[in-house]
Amino acid sequence: MDSSIHLQKNIRNNSEELKDFIADLHRWEKDLKSEEEDTSHTIAPHQELPPVRCKPAADTVKKIVSSNKRKVADTNQKKTERISSYDYAAWDKFDVSKALESDEENNAKVKSVTHGMDSKEIKTSNLSKVEKASRLKDEGNKFYSSGRLDDAIAKYTQGMALDPSNAILPANRAMAYIKLEKYEAAEADCNRCLKLDANYIKGYLRRGSSRLKLGKTRLAADDFKRVLELEPWNKDAKKELEKLDPSIEKFSSPETEEEKNLKNVNIGRVDIKEISSQKTANSVQNSLVLEKNFQKVSAEERQNTSESLLKETKKEGGKMIVITEVDSSQPKSVEGETFEVVVPVNKPPHLRSQKPLRKISVVDVSSEDCIPLALVSSGAFAKDLHKTQPEKIHAEPISILCTAKAAASEQDCQKQAKGSQDLQKTVDYTDELKKTDITPSMVLPGIPRTSHHFSQDWHKLRNCRKLCVKYIKEIHPSFFRGIDLDVEIMVDLISALLWEEFMPSESLTYLEGLAQTNGFSVNLLFLDSTQQKVINQLIEKCIEFKSHTSLFEKIKASLL
Amino acid sequence: MEKPQIIVYIEHSLNYTAFEVKWIPRSAKMVTIGSHPRGTGALQVFEMNEGSLKLLHDGERPKALKCGTFGASTLEDRHIAVGDFDGKMEIIDLKAPETPVYSVKAHSEIINCIDGVAGLDIGKGAPEIVTGSRDGLVKVWDSRQKERPVITIEPTEGEQKRDCWSVAFGNAYTSEERVLCAGFDNGDVKMFDLRKMSIIWETNLKNGVCSIEFDRKDIDMNKLLVTTLESKFHIFDLRTFHTEKGFTGMVEKGHKSTIWCGRHLPQNRDIFATTGGNGSILLWKYSYPVSRSKKLSDGSEVGVSGETVLLQNATITGQPITSHDWSQDKIGLSACTGLDQTLRVVIHTKLNTL
C-alpha cells in the first residue's frame, strides 16, 4: 500500500512540477520577448577580433595522415623546416633577406584577402621591419667597431632597405664611408640622413668633415655652424670651424645660407625632360615676364639637347632655373648646392599609398582648334626665330615641332595675360587659316561605316569646306539611308548640300537617302525656323526634278 | 524519486523534413532547416507562444539545407550559417533571409555537418565555421575571408575519401588555441590542433560517427561525446593525453538503434541527452572518477574515464530523432526534429536539482 501512496504522491508532485515549469516558461517567454524588443535595435559593439588565420594562403592544404608512422614522419619533416635555435651551422646558411622577402610576400597575400584589417596588419609588419632594421644596425655597429667596414656597410644598407625612415642607419653608413675615404658617398648618406632628421648633429658633423675632405670648405663651414646652432657647446664643431676659417664669425647669419642650401637640395638631379616641363610650367606662371626670355631659353635648350647634357644656372626675372647634370666624379662647380641620391621607390603594392590619385583637370581643346593653332603659332614663331636664328629652324625640323609646342604654350600665356583680345586674335588666326586653306595636311578620313563614325568625322571636317565636299562625295548616297543623325549634324549636312560644289542632282540623291532614314521625319519636327529655312532652300535647289515632287511635298508637310 | 521528466510540450507538424533545429540565442524562437519533397531547402522561424508555435518566417532556398549553426555569430547579429545538399555554405541574416550575407561553394558534395566557434560569447579568438562534407574534406571558414577557406583538411593522396558526418570545435579558451574534431562514416575520429596545424589524436570507433560534441567549447578541452551507429556512444576524457594510448574513453549502449545525436546541457555539462533512431530521448549524467588520471608502471600518465547513469528515458515518436538542441536561455527546454516531419519542443524538469 505504501508504494501506491508513494506513487500517487509522486505523480502529484510531478504534475505540480510540470505546472510550475510551464508557468515559469510562460513568464520566461514574455520576459524574453519584451527584452528582445528593447534590444532588437542594438548594434554589435565593435570588438577587436583576432585577424583571419594567417596560414600563408589556404592553398597550403593540411593532409590527414592516418597511420601513426606517417604522422611521426610528418612531424619530423616539420622539425627540419624550422631551424633549431642552437643549430648555428644551419643559421649561417639561412638567407635572411630571402626569408624576409617570402615573409613579405605572405603578408601581402594575407592582406589581399583580409579586408578591413589592412591598416593594422601594415602597422605590425612595419613594426617588425623597424625591429629588424634596428637589429641590423646593431650588427653593423659591431662590424664597424671590429673594423670590418665593408660588412658594416652591407648591414646598414640592408637596414636602410627595410626601414627607409631611420636616420641613424645612413649616418652610420656615412661614418663607415668616411673611414673608407669615400667622401662623396658619405656626403650623400649624410644628406639622406639629414633629410630624415634635420636636427641630427652627427649627420652635420660627418657631412662637414666629408665636405672638408672634398674641398667644399664653405659648405663644410655651414655644416659646423649648424651644429653649433643646435648645440653651442659642441667642441668638435668649434675646433673644426676655428681650424677652417678663423675669420668666419661664429654666428654670422649662417641660417640664411643653410636654408638656401636645404632648398637647393630639392633641385638636384633632374633630367632634361623634367626641366623643360618645369619651364613650360614656369612660363605659364609668370607669362609675360618670362615670355621674351623663354624664347631664348627654348632655343638654347634646343641647342643643348643636341649636346645631350647641359650644365647651367640661369637667373631670370627673379626665378631660378637650375639645369645640372650630377656627376659625382666631378667636383661641383656650383656652390650652395647639395645633391640627394634618388633611391628608386620599390614598395610592394599593399604598402603603397592608399590615397586616391589627384584629379588633374584636363582642359579640353577641341581638335579642330588645336591643330591649326599650333600651326599658326609655329608660323608666327618661325617669323620671330627668323629674326634671331634663321639657320636653326631649317637645320632641325624636330626641334621646330618642339618649339611649336612651346610657342603654343606661350600663346596660352599671352592669352592668359592679355585676355580676350588675344583670344580674338587666335580665332582670327584660325579664320585666316580657313581662307588660306593651310589644312591640306589634314587627312581625309576614310569612308564611314556607321552613323557615329560619320558624326565624328563630320565634326572634325565641318570647318573646312573643301574637305567636306570631298568627304561627302566619297560617300555613296545609299549610306545615308541607314544612318541615324543628330538634328544639328543633319542640318549641317543639308546646308553643305546647298553649296555650289554639289550639283542639284547630286544634292537630290543625298536628300533622298536622308529622307529614308528612320529619324528624318522626327528630326524635322524639332527644327527651328532657320533650320527649316535651310531645308526649304535645299528643296528649292532641287525643285526642278519633277519626279520627286511627292518627296518634297512630304517633307514640306512635316515641316509645317 | 527525484527523477527528471521528459515531456513533449509542443508538437508541430511540418510539410517538409527538418534535419536540424536550432534555438535562436536569447529568444524563445527557433529555426528549422530541411528539405522540401521537391528538393528545395526549407528555412522556417517559429516562436513559442503560450503552448503553441507561431510561424514567423517561411523561406525557401534553391537547394535542400542539411545543417546549421549560430556558433560563429555575435549575439547581436544572430546570423545562422547553413550548409546545403549542393555543398554551398551560406550565412543568413534572419532579419533579411532572402539574401545571404556570405555565400560560398564550400564543397563539391553535400555538407553533412557544420559548427561554429567564438560567436555567442562562447570561445575566444576569431569566429570560425567548420564544414564537413561527403567529399571527404573538412574546411574552416572565416566570414571575413571571401571565397576561400582558411584551412582545408583532406586525406593524403591515395587514401580513400571518407564521408565526413560530424564536426565540432573545442578548446577555444585562448585566442590561439583551438581544436577541431571530425567524425567519419567509417568510425574514424580525428582531432586537429588548429594552432599547431597537425593531427593530435585519432581513433576508430568501428561504427560511423553520427555526432561529436565537446562538453564546452570555451575551456581547456575536458571531455568529448561521440555517438555512433549501432546504438553506442563514447565519452573521452581529454584532460590527460597518453602518447601511445591517446585519450581514455568509455562506451555506453542505448536506444537499441543508431544514436543520431548527443548534446550536453549548456547549463550543466555533466548532463547530456542522446536521441535515437527509435524515436527516444535518453537523459544521462556523467560522473567523474575519483582521480582523472593514473600513473602507469613506466611512469607515464593515462586518463581514467568516469561513468554514466541513465536519468530518464522517453520515447516520443516512432521515427528517428535527427536533431536536438538545448535552449541556452532556459534550463530544461529543448527542441528536436525527426524524420516524422514534426517539430517538438520538449521540456525536462528537475534538471537544476540534479
Side-chain angles (χ1 to χ4, degrees):
Chain A
M1 281 320 238
D2 249 17
S3 64
S4 72
I5 292 168
H6 206 84
L7 195 69
Q8 270 184 352
K9 191 183 164 231
N10 244 334
I11 291 168
R12 212 172 31 243
N13 272 353
N14 278 346
S15 66
E16 263 170 31
E17 182 94 18
L18 190 63
K19 231 161 123 190
D20 284 352
F21 191 97
I22 289 170
D24 189 38
L25 204 62
H26 289 323
R27 263 203 308 281
W28 170 77
E29 259 177 50
K30 241 181 236 162
D31 288 353
L32 217 61
K33 272 176 203 171
S34 62
E35 193 185 309
E36 217 185 350
E37 266 167 34
D38 295 344
T39 58
S40 60
H41 298 294
T42 53
I43 301 157
H46 183 71
Q47 290 174 324
E48 277 295 311
L49 285 175
V52 177
R53 207 168 276 279
C54 281
K55 202 57 206 151
D59 329 343
T60 50
V61 168
K62 255 287 310 97
K63 308 274 184 191
I64 292 177
V65 189
S66 54
S67 70
N68 270 333
K69 276 180 199 168
R70 290 182 68 178
K71 192 167 82 187
V72 171
D74 196 30
T75 48
N76 279 345
Q77 206 188 332
K78 278 240 163 86
K79 264 178 197 160
T80 53
E81 274 167 26
R82 196 178 171 283
I83 302 172
S84 142
S85 33
Y86 299 102
D87 191 356
Y88 297 112
W91 277 112
D92 280 343
K93 284 174 201 161
F94 184 62
D95 189 349
V96 179
S97 58
K98 213 181 223 174
L100 285 175
E101 257 169 43
S102 67
D103 202 39
E104 235 176 79
E105 265 170 35
N106 287 343
N107 273 347
K109 261 189 210 162
V110 170
K111 240 162 270 155
S112 64
V113 212
T114 56
H115 302 290
M117 305 294 291
D118 284 11
S119 55
K120 212 179 153 194
E121 287 267 351
I122 286 167
K123 254 187 219 161
T124 54
S125 74
N126 270 352
L127 233 172
S128 62
K129 269 189 191 167
V130 169
E131 278 170 9
K132 278 171 199 158
S134 72
R135 217 168 290 156
L136 281 166
K137 187 194 76 190
D138 294 342
E139 286 170 30
N141 289 349
K142 266 180 210 162
F143 280 130
Y144 178 83
S145 53
S146 64
R148 290 165 64 184
L149 294 173
D150 287 325
D151 292 334
I153 286 171
K155 288 285 173 198
Y156 293 139
T157 314
Q158 272 179 28
M160 280 160 76
L162 276 176
D163 181 11
S165 63
N166 190 335
I168 298 168
L169 281 165
N172 286 6
R173 198 170 74 170
M175 195 62 217
Y177 277 132
I178 289 173
K179 288 267 159 152
L180 286 171
E181 299 183 357
K182 290 178 181 168
Y183 299 114
E184 274 131 14
E187 194 193 354
D189 270 354
C190 287
N191 283 339
R192 189 193 257 213
C193 151
L194 292 172
K195 225 184 157 194
L196 293 167
D197 181 2
N199 293 326
Y200 191 60
I201 288 168
K202 280 182 187 171
Y204 286 109
L205 278 174
R206 284 169 197 171
R207 189 166 72 178
S209 45
S210 55
R211 278 175 171 176
L212 210 57
K213 296 283 183 189
L214 287 168
K216 300 178 196 170
T217 43
R218 242 187 89 188
L219 286 171
D222 286 343
D223 279 339
F224 292 127
K225 274 179 204 160
R226 178 77 183 157
V227 173
L228 284 182
E229 218 173 282
L230 291 166
E231 210 175 66
W233 56 87
N234 192 305
K235 280 179 194 167
D236 292 336
K238 261 184 202 168
K239 230 187 262 171
E240 290 287 341
L241 210 57
E242 275 163 18
K243 237 195 278 172
L244 235 169
D245 193 357
S247 67
I248 296 175
E249 278 178 55
K250 270 175 192 172
F251 291 101
S252 61
S253 68
E255 202 173 312
T256 48
E257 277 286 318
E258 190 55 44
E259 263 177 9
K260 220 186 256 174
N261 199 1
L262 280 174
K263 267 178 203 161
N264 286 347
V265 169
N266 293 334
I267 316 167
R269 182 187 278 182
V270 199
D271 68 28
I272 286 150
K273 262 185 204 164
E274 270 170 352
I275 286 166
S276 64
S277 71
Q278 188 190 328
K279 262 185 205 161
T280 43
N282 282 345
S283 72
V284 173
Q285 272 169 12
N286 25 339
S287 52
L288 277 171
V289 189
L290 255 176
E291 205 173 35
K292 285 171 198 166
N293 295 329
F294 180 77
Q295 291 176 6
K296 233 193 274 171
V297 173
S298 61
E300 269 165 353
E301 191 190 311
R302 235 174 335 99
Q303 257 180 333
N304 287 325
T305 27
S306 58
E307 289 163 21
S308 88
L309 286 172
L310 44 109
K311 183 178 260 192
E312 63 172 352
T313 320
K314 254 190 184 302
K315 282 197 179 179
E316 284 166 350
K319 194 105 189 170
M320 200 161 87
I321 302 167
V322 185
I323 307 166
T324 23
E325 184 220 345
V326 177
D327 188 354
S328 52
S329 64
Q330 282 177 313
K332 280 135 220 154
S333 58
V334 190
E335 284 204 326
E337 239 183 329
T338 51
F339 301 103
E340 63 169 346
V341 176
V342 180
V343 183
V345 182
N346 192 14
K347 276 186 182 176
H350 62 284
L351 288 178
R352 283 176 198 159
S353 169
Q354 302 285 314
K355 274 186 213 161
L357 291 173
R358 198 157 52 90
K359 212 172 198 172
I360 299 170
S361 60
V362 177
V363 182
D364 190 18
V365 184
S366 60
S367 50
E368 69 211 282
D369 286 341
C370 177
I371 299 162
L373 184 68
L375 283 168
V376 166
S377 48
S378 83
F381 189 59
K383 273 177 217 159
D384 281 356
L385 275 180
H386 269 297
K387 283 174 202 160
T388 52
Q389 307 174 298
E391 71 286 349
K392 273 275 182 253
I393 304 149
H394 303 295
E396 296 170 349
I398 302 162
S399 63
I400 289 174
L401 224 147
C402 158
T403 48
K405 269 184 205 157
S409 69
E410 182 202 344
Q411 202 93 21
D412 281 342
C413 304
Q414 280 178 345
K415 249 191 242 171
Q416 275 175 359
K418 292 178 191 166
S420 58
Q421 215 183 335
D422 263 27
L423 227 141
Q424 199 110 43
K425 231 188 230 168
T426 52
V427 171
D428 286 347
Y429 277 135
T430 44
D431 280 358
E432 242 174 32
L433 195 83
K434 268 184 210 165
K435 281 172 202 159
T436 48
D437 267 345
I438 305 177
T439 31
S441 64
M442 270 176 82
V443 192
L444 195 72
I447 297 166
R449 295 224 187 91
T450 63
S451 38
H452 174 70
H453 197 165
F454 175 79
S455 309
Q456 270 190 328
D457 290 345
W458 181 258
H459 201 70
K460 275 184 209 155
L461 298 171
R462 56 192 289 193
N463 289 326
C464 178
R465 190 165 166 167
K466 248 189 192 173
L467 280 176
C468 281
V469 172
K470 226 175 166 183
Y471 182 61
I472 294 173
K473 283 193 175 172
E474 269 186 14
I475 303 170
H476 195 268
S478 64
F479 167 76
F480 291 101
R481 277 180 212 160
I483 63 171
D484 190 16
L485 293 176
D486 285 348
V487 180
E488 275 93 341
I489 293 184
M490 194 188 81
V491 174
D492 239 21
L493 182 63
I494 288 173
S495 56
L497 293 175
L498 284 172
W499 295 338
E500 66 268 273
E501 279 95 335
F502 291 103
M503 303 289 285
S505 57
E506 275 180 310
S507 297
L508 182 66
T509 51
Y510 285 108
L511 180 64
E512 222 184 324
L514 275 176
Q516 282 181 36
T517 60
N518 294 331
F520 187 72
S521 55
V522 180
N523 277 348
L524 288 180
L525 296 173
F526 293 101
L527 299 182
D528 58 34
S529 54
T530 48
Q531 291 171 323
Q532 287 187 355
K533 224 182 247 171
V534 175
I535 307 261
N536 280 327
Q537 278 172 352
L538 184 64
I539 292 173
E540 273 162 36
K541 188 180 174 183
C542 313
I543 202 87
E544 49 180 305
F545 297 96
K546 297 284 183 217
S547 54
H548 288 80
T549 28
S550 62
L551 174 68
F552 303 144
E553 266 164 17
K554 205 175 129 197
I555 294 170
K556 272 184 182 169
S558 50
L559 277 178
L560 290 171
Chain B
M1 295 287 268
E2 283 299 299
K3 260 184 155 183
Q5 302 177 76
I6 300 175
I7 290 146
V8 176
Y9 177 49
I10 308 168
E11 231 174 11
H12 187 97
S13 66
L14 309 165
N15 59 353
Y16 57 92
T17 309
F19 293 114
E20 183 114 51
V21 58
K22 288 280 170 196
W23 287 95
I24 300 178
R26 297 248 171 103
S27 77
K29 297 182 223 164
M30 67 208 82
V31 183
T32 55
I33 56 178
S35 162
H36 282 294
R38 59 183 169 278
T40 54
L43 189 141
Q44 289 189 323
V45 181
F46 293 97
E47 184 172 38
M48 274 174 63
N49 194 15
E50 311 235 327
S52 66
L53 288 179
K54 200 167 101 191
L55 180 65
L56 294 184
H57 169 75
D58 186 6
E60 195 166 345
R61 312 288 311 165
K63 277 284 168 208
L65 303 176
K66 180 66 175 59
C67 48
T69 179
F70 284 100
S73 163
T74 61
L75 276 174
E76 288 78 11
D77 289 339
R78 295 184 292 188
H79 295 169
I80 188 168
V82 297
D84 74 9
F85 274 49
D86 228 16
K88 201 181 221 180
M89 196 273 281
E90 289 180 330
I91 300 177
I92 295 169
D93 183 355
L94 292 171
K95 287 179 200 130
E98 288 76 24
T99 44
V101 292
Y102 181 94
S103 177
V104 66
K105 174 80 172 144
H107 295 273
S108 58
E109 280 179 272
I110 177 176
I111 298 176
N112 285 317
C113 46
I114 193 166
D115 193 25
V117 73
L120 313 178
D121 296 339
I122 298 171
K124 296 212 170 59
E128 282 176 333
I129 295 165
V130 60
T131 54
S133 160
R134 185 176 291 163
D135 64 8
L137 306 186
V138 174
K139 293 183 182 180
V140 181
W141 305 87
D142 189 312
S143 63
R144 292 168 295 175
Q145 175 169 314
K146 306 280 175 215
E147 282 157 19
R148 285 192 306 128
V150 288
I151 297 168
T152 302
I153 301 168
E154 70 174 355
T156 43
E157 256 171 70
E159 207 169 306
Q160 200 182 353
K161 288 184 174 175
R162 303 308 310 215
D163 195 345
C164 178
W165 278 359
S166 50
V167 285
F169 274 123
N171 207 32
Y173 65 98
T174 70
S175 49
E176 289 85 32
E177 291 285 351
R178 191 163 292 182
V179 151
L180 169 59
C181 217
F184 296 84
D185 65 337
N186 59 349
D188 275 350
V189 174
K190 291 168 199 278
M191 190 184 277
F192 309 96
D193 189 327
L194 300 187
R195 185 173 60 84
K196 288 192 230 157
M197 294 300 288
S198 65
I199 293 184
I200 49 176
W201 173 64
E202 59 188 322
T203 186
N204 188 288
L205 304 178
K206 294 190 184 73
N207 296 309
V209 177
C210 299
S211 96
I212 283 188
E213 195 181 59
F214 287 89
D215 60 342
R216 285 178 76 170
K217 289 173 183 171
D218 52 346
I219 55 164
D220 189 2
M221 53 182 177
N222 183 43
K223 60 185 196 284
L224 182 73
L225 170 63
V226 183
T227 69
T228 68
L229 303 176
E230 308 280 338
S231 61
K232 276 191 215 121
F233 69 87
H234 302 248
I235 295 175
F236 293 97
D237 186 300
L238 304 179
R239 279 288 154 88
T240 324
F241 180 73
H242 190 269
T243 42
E244 278 158 36
K245 295 181 176 166
F247 297 113
T248 317
M250 54 142 308
V251 192
E252 185 75 55
K253 280 198 143 196
H255 297 287
K256 292 183 181 139
S257 70
T258 300
I259 304 183
W260 280 81
C261 69
R263 296 281 177 253
H264 292 92
L265 181 67
Q267 293 84 1
N268 180 1
R269 280 78 170 205
D270 293 341
I271 295 171
F272 60 92
T274 55
T275 65
N278 60 353
S280 60
I281 296 179
L282 301 189
L283 202 60
W284 306 83
K285 185 180 165 74
Y286 181 83
S287 47
Y288 292 103
V290 183
S291 166
R292 293 187 66 178
S293 66
K294 64 178 177 200
K295 287 249 194 253
L296 291 182
S297 53
D298 60 348
S300 59
E301 245 184 322
V302 69
V304 179
S305 58
E307 283 173 343
T308 53
V309 183
L310 182 66
L311 295 175
Q312 190 55 276
N313 174 6
T315 304
I316 56 171
T317 175
Q319 297 276 327
I321 300 171
T322 54
S323 83
H324 180 277
D325 193 39
W326 291 104
S327 167
Q328 291 212 5
D329 307 287
K330 178 79 185 150
I331 186 168
L333 186 63
S334 73
C336 55
T337 59
L339 299 182
D340 57 352
Q341 302 202 337
T342 307
L343 167 65
R344 288 181 180 82
V345 177
V346 179
I347 53 181
H348 310 250
T349 60
K350 292 198 193 97
L351 288 184
N352 45 6
T353 58
L354 286 168

